[in-house]
């Protein structure tokens, strides 16, 4: 029998150190997913912002039509009704429907106040938005004050200065 020392055996060779480059395919996939997620987030942010700007621009145009109609009719009750509808439509466009659509009365006015960071609607003459349908007459000066509050509300929402 031959002695092990006489055999032509070589010592065990360890593999070389693992390099950090190039990364394994899983890392490439992860990087691609992260880039796609960031790009998708940016697109979604811009898309939502564009929708918001579009909705507020349309609300401003509608408000101009309401004001023109009011100057020709001089009916404060109709003005308040149209303003209420306009604010409701804009709010449903900008906020989750489940959060806004069911609001009525004081809760609706408080929602409007929270968005404008003022209390013109729940405490001030803005209460007419919820009270006007139950009144026979409304003072024109009060209705015009509510009109100013609504213009301010739409401008504040349109600039993105919410909450």
């Amino acid at each position: 029998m031959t002695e092990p020392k006489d055999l032509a055996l070589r010592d065990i060779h360890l593999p070389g150190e693992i390099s950090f480059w190039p990364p394994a395919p899983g890392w490439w996939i992860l990087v691609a997913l992260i880039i796609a997620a960031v790009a998708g987030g940016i697109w979604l942010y811009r898309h939502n912002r564009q929708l918001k700007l579009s909705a507020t621009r349309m609300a401003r145009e509608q408000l101009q039509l309401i004001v023109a109609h009011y100057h020709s009719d001089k009916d404060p009750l109709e003005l308040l009704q149209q303003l209420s509808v306009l604010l409701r439509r804009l709010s449903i466009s900008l906020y989750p429907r489940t959060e806004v659509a069911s609001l009525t009365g004081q809760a609706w006015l408080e929602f409007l106040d929270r968005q404008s960071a003022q209390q013109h609607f729940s405490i001030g003459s803005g209460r007419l938005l919820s009270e006007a349908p139950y009144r026979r007459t409304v003072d024109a000066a009060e209705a015009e004050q509510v009109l100013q509050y609504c213009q301010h509300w739409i401008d504040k929402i349109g600039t993105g200065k919410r909450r």
Side-chain angles (χ1 to χ4, degrees):
M1 202 155 187
T2 56
E3 291 290 321
K5 64 179 178 182
D6 295 336
L7 294 174
L9 297 177
R10 289 186 276 171
D11 201 9
I12 298 176
H13 292 288
L14 296 176
E17 288 188 23
I18 298 175
S19 172
F20 75 92
W21 194 262
W27 289 110
W28 287 108
I29 292 171
L30 180 64
V31 167
L33 288 175
I34 290 172
I35 290 171
V38 168
I42 291 170
W43 179 85
L44 190 60
Y45 171 78
R46 287 184 176 173
H47 179 71
N48 287 341
R49 179 152 172 78
Q50 187 62 32
L51 286 177
K52 177 184 164 193
L53 292 174
S54 174
T56 54
R57 186 182 67 246
M58 290 174 60
R60 285 185 183 116
E61 292 170 2
Q62 185 65 33
L63 185 63
Q64 289 175 353
L65 293 175
I66 290 171
V67 169
H69 187 265
Y70 171 68
H71 288 307
S72 66
D73 276 356
K74 298 290 184 192
D75 184 4
L77 282 173
E78 186 177 349
L79 171 68
L80 292 171
Q81 178 206 16
Q82 290 177 347
L83 289 174
S84 182
V85 169
L86 177 65
L87 292 182
R88 176 79 58 174
R89 286 181 179 167
L90 180 58
S91 296
I92 288 175
S93 296
L94 298 178
Y95 299 97
R97 184 176 293 268
T98 56
E99 181 182 332
V100 178
S102 63
L103 295 176
T104 59
Q106 187 66 23
W108 168 243
L109 298 176
E110 289 171 357
F111 170 81
L112 293 174
D113 284 343
R114 277 193 311 272
Q115 305 317 311
S116 67
Q118 297 179 354
Q119 294 187 334
H120 293 306
F121 294 102
S122 62
I123 295 175
S125 58
R127 295 183 60 80
L128 286 175
L129 285 178
S130 66
E131 295 173 1
Y134 307 106
R135 291 186 173 189
R136 290 183 186 194
T137 60
V138 174
D139 182 37
E142 286 182 314
E144 289 175 10
Q145 184 65 44
V146 174
L147 173 63
Q148 296 300 317
Y149 293 157
C150 293
Q151 286 174 331
H152 174 74
W153 190 85
I154 292 171
D155 290 340
K156 185 125 184 177
I157 296 304
T159 59
K161 296 177 183 173
R162 295 185 286 173
R163 291 189 196 176

